[in-house]
Amino acid sequence: MNRILIVEGTGYLGKYLAKASVSQGCPTFVLVRPAKVADVDSSKEKILQELKDNGIHILTGSLDDHNNLVEAIKQVDIVISAVAIPQHLDQFNLIRAIKEVGNIKRFIPSEFGNEVDRVENALPPFQRVCDTKKKIRRAIEEAGISYSFISANSFMAYFVDYFLHPRKKPEPMDVVIYGDGLTKAVLNLEDDIAAFTIRVANDPRTMNKLVIYRPAENVMSQSELVSLWERKTGRTLHRVYLPETEMVRLSQTLPHPDNVRISVLHNIFVKGEQTSFELGYEDLEASELYGDYKYTTVDEFLDTCLLSEPETKLTSF
């Protein structure tokens, strides 16, 4: 099996990717930033220990340390970046190191959201994020590095927690609806995104291709999500509508990173750019590529929320 390096393997998605990699039999390495004494994070230490317990090799290094990156990359066949948005531009350093080493069979940059080459005229804070991802894509292509680009759309557990707050007791009766609530989005469970990504990384069919994660059962509007939760809980939630005009205003007035968050919500749940295009001949769709994999539907995930509180979901904008 190919040896896989997860860059920022203790981050929001990185830990899922690392566990999926080792569970699929790949010798797995994670690159983590060296911790400063003042920044020791008990939750990160716990994740590191869990990764070690699963037989994952921990490498310490920084994206601004070229020699360190080169030494890490020499040990593996595939590199998957899971850096958060604030570190996206640092991936140019990763590209240079991969180009120098010359042994990498596949590089997957940190995207895992919308199909950025189809995002145009988003609200400026989110458009800037997408434009950075496009620059990374073009740099990879120009460097002649074998790649797979991933559009995983929306993180299911994150958005269920963000919209419905199943961890809060008592659960709030108000739910914010963005726009009219009818726009379709794609919600994929983080574990499934990770499992699909490891398969993509090892699959010769996906070399130098875009892979979109759009399983039919997980295409759903926010109103449909809320209604499904109401049926399961027997509760009626009070819908508080945030109109598009107010979202645009907030994107202009909120401080960073809140302006990015509201712009992402606008693009996904008002503009609908995850489902605004038909998949073309060149587009590969993950649930069709890997029909043997049983992904989790939104309906099934909400059932698990009824049985046990989901863990806190935090990600960086």
Side-chain angles (χ1 to χ4, degrees):
M1 294 292 288
N2 287 312
R3 299 162 297 170
I4 295 181
L5 173 67
I6 311 295
V7 179
E8 201 54 55
T10 59
Y12 180 74
L13 188 62
K15 59 183 179 292
Y16 292 100
L17 289 165
K19 292 175 183 177
S21 176
V22 76
S23 72
Q24 292 184 35
C26 299
T28 304
F29 301 73
V30 300
L31 183 69
V32 297
R33 286 171 287 181
K36 299 177 182 177
V37 174
D39 297 332
V40 173
D41 184 340
S42 60
S43 62
K44 182 175 179 179
E45 291 299 317
K46 181 180 178 182
I47 293 169
L48 280 171
Q49 190 57 53
E50 289 176 356
L51 297 178
K52 291 175 184 176
D53 292 344
N54 282 310
I56 294 168
H57 306 280
I58 309 298
L59 306 177
T60 303
S62 170
L63 289 179
D64 57 13
D65 184 336
H66 180 76
N67 292 333
N68 184 277
L69 280 180
V70 166
E71 290 306 310
I73 290 167
K74 284 179 178 178
Q75 302 180 56
V76 299
D77 307 297
I78 291 169
V79 176
I80 302 175
S81 174
V83 298
I85 288 173
Q87 285 78 51
H88 277 178
L89 287 172
D90 292 339
Q91 291 178 109
F92 284 114
N93 299 334
L94 197 52
I95 292 168
R96 284 191 286 270
I98 290 172
K99 179 72 173 176
E100 177 177 323
V101 173
N103 68 315
I104 293 303
K105 299 177 182 178
R106 193 81 56 92
F107 175 43
I108 297 179
S110 184
E111 293 194 13
F112 305 107
N114 285 26
E115 206 296 89
V116 295
D117 279 331
R118 288 178 167 103
V119 174
E120 300 291 344
N121 301 314
L123 296 179
F126 183 51
Q127 188 65 54
R128 286 192 289 270
V129 172
C130 293
D131 289 345
T132 295
K133 292 181 178 182
K134 293 177 189 180
K135 290 176 184 176
I136 297 295
R137 284 188 177 188
R138 304 293 86 81
I140 293 167
E141 292 167 341
E142 290 169 12
I145 296 169
S146 297
Y147 64 84
S148 294
F149 297 146
I150 302 295
S151 171
N153 291 304
S154 300
F155 295 165
M156 184 190 298
Y158 175 84
F159 278 108
V160 165
D161 186 66
Y162 189 86
F163 292 144
L164 302 176
H165 310 290
R167 293 180 295 106
K168 289 187 177 180
K169 302 301 178 189
E171 292 179 31
M173 296 302 295
D174 288 350
V175 58
V176 177
I177 301 291
Y178 298 92
D180 61 12
L182 302 179
T183 301
K184 300 281 189 178
V186 186
L187 301 171
N188 291 308
L189 191 62
E190 287 82 338
D191 297 277
D192 295 336
I193 290 172
F196 278 139
T197 299
I198 300 305
R199 289 191 176 208
V200 168
N202 286 289
D203 189 341
R205 297 174 297 173
T206 62
M207 180 177 289
N208 297 337
K209 296 286 188 179
L210 165 70
V211 185
I212 298 174
Y213 301 178
R214 195 196 282 183
E217 291 187 71
N218 287 348
V219 178
M220 181 175 290
S221 71
Q222 194 187 353
S223 287
E224 289 171 329
L225 175 66
V226 172
S227 295
L228 183 57
W229 186 240
E230 287 176 323
R231 290 197 297 272
K232 290 181 180 293
T233 60
R235 300 160 65 236
T236 300
L237 300 177
H238 176 235
R239 289 163 166 79
V240 179
Y241 289 87
L242 186 66
E244 181 177 10
T245 53
E246 179 63 9
M247 297 180 76
V248 172
R249 187 190 71 80
L250 289 171
S251 76
Q252 297 167 344
T253 58
L254 286 173
H256 182 84
D258 294 332
N259 62 339
V260 179
R261 185 176 290 107
I262 196 70
S263 300
V264 170
L265 290 165
H266 174 269
N267 190 267
I268 297 173
F269 296 101
V270 176
K271 238 186 144 187
E273 288 205 330
Q274 292 184 348
T275 57
S276 63
F277 60 92
E278 296 294 329
L279 298 185
Y281 177 76
E282 291 294 319
D283 297 324
L284 301 176
E285 198 285 310
S287 65
E288 294 183 359
L289 275 176
Y290 311 111
D292 62 315
Y293 180 79
K294 178 62 176 71
Y295 65 85
T296 302
T297 66
V298 176
D299 186 273
E300 291 167 341
F301 180 68
L302 292 183
D303 285 339
T304 68
C305 292
L306 291 173
L307 296 173
S308 60
E309 296 180 11
E311 63 179 286
T312 303
K313 301 296 175 185
L314 297 172
T315 189
S316 298
F317 288 95

